[in-house]
């Protein structure tokens, strides 16, 4: 089983009907902004706790916007390891009631946290449950879980372990999330560290020809292999 399949398998719940975006006028209590496997897992867990919940899945920003018009008063938005950056106008439809499950600890905000943790040779990694704000990974932290990075020397291995922990931290907070209209409390932790981006990840995959062997080795482990772009050579030589 590949690393990605192992990660998905760890977050599977008993089979439920495939989720689809409803075009009806039925109101939505919880909007799940995430990929389909994660949405199936989260919807199943929330529905077991509160069968009356009306849950909608949105895999991307356009579907998220389309779903806003069907949200019930006090509706809640939940993201889970999603690449969708929810903009301020969407967040305004869920005042102080939009949440995200980030696949990294408070010390590693931003994009591709497992890659940058691997590159930094961080001895500890983790996952974070937090409120969504217009600025990514800056909202109040509600829960987090850390684990030692022992025997995990590649970013992919760290990401798989983090995915398992992210599923667990979701289940730990599912009862609170299923209680629409009831506020959630922070745990007092704060974000730290430098926020990373996809553009920075892409740059780290491009290495100069004179890179030393130690640097090359850690970049291969951290950044999903690497490549060195070769410019066009218009000469006949």
């Amino acid at each position: 089983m590949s690393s990605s399949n192992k990660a998905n398998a760890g977050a599977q719940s008993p089979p439920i009907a495939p989720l689809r975006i409803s075009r009806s006028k039925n109101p939505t209590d919880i909007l799940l902004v995430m990929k389909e496997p994660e949405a199936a897992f989260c919807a199943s867990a929330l529905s077991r706790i509160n069968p009356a919940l009306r849950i909608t899945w949105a895999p991307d920003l356009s579907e998220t916007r389309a779903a806003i018009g069907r949200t019930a008063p006090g509706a809640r938005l939940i993201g889970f390891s999603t690449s969708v950056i929810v903009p301020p106008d969407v967040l305004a439809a869920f005042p102080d009631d939009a949440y995200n499950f980030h696949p990294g600890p408070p010390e590693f905000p931003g994009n591709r946290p497992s890659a940058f943790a691997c590159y930094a040779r961080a001895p500890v990694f983790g996952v974070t449950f937090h409120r969504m704000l217009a600025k990514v990974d800056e909202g109040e932290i509600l829960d987090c879980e850390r684990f030692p990075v022992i025997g995990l020397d590649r970013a992919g291995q760290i990401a798989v372990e983090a995915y398992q922990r992210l599923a667990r931290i979701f289940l730990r907070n599912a009862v609170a999330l299923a209680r629409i209209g009831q506020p959630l409390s922070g745990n007092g932790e704060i974000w730290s560290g430098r926020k990373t981006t996809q553009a920075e990840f892409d740059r780290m995959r491009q290495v100069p020809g004179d890179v030393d062997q130690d640097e090359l080795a850690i970049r291969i482990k951290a950044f999903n292999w690497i490549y060195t772009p070769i410019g066009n050579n218009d000469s006949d030589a």
Side-chain angles (χ1 to χ4, degrees), residues 43-165:
S44 179
L46 293 169
S47 295
R48 285 197 298 269
I49 296 164
N50 184 354
L53 284 173
R54 297 161 297 186
I55 301 174
T56 297
W57 165 54
D60 54 39
L61 182 55
S62 64
E63 296 286 12
T64 300
R65 290 187 186 281
I68 290 177
R70 302 190 303 278
T71 55
R76 180 165 281 173
L77 183 149
I78 303 173
F80 185 105
S81 192
T82 179
S83 60
V84 177
I85 297 177
V86 181
D89 63 301
V90 174
L91 291 176
F94 307 88
D96 204 32
D97 214 0
Y99 307 91
N100 185 49
F101 288 83
H102 171 65
E107 297 80 20
F108 284 92
N111 194 272
R112 306 275 189 161
S114 58
F116 290 98
C118 181
Y119 182 70
R121 297 178 173 86
V124 175
F125 197 61
V127 294
T128 309
F129 170 42
H130 65 96
R131 294 187 193 277
M132 280 190 186
L133 294 181
K135 293 185 177 180
V136 174
D137 296 344
E138 292 190 14
E140 179 187 23
I141 294 173
L142 306 172
D143 196 3
C144 58
E145 181 175 317
R146 295 178 178 83
F147 57 89
V149 180
I150 299 174
L152 306 176
D153 66 345
R154 291 183 178 272
Q157 295 172 321
I158 297 172
V160 167
E161 179 64 24
Y163 193 93
Q164 311 298 327
R165 305 286 181 134

Side-chain angles (χ1 to χ4, degrees), residues 196-217:
T196 53
T197 66
Q198 179 65 41
E200 184 178 1
F201 175 87
D202 292 338
R203 286 196 300 271
M204 292 300 289
R205 295 184 65 226
Q206 303 178 38
V207 298
D210 60 352
V211 64
D212 66 62
Q213 290 303 304
D214 288 342
E215 177 68 9
L216 179 62

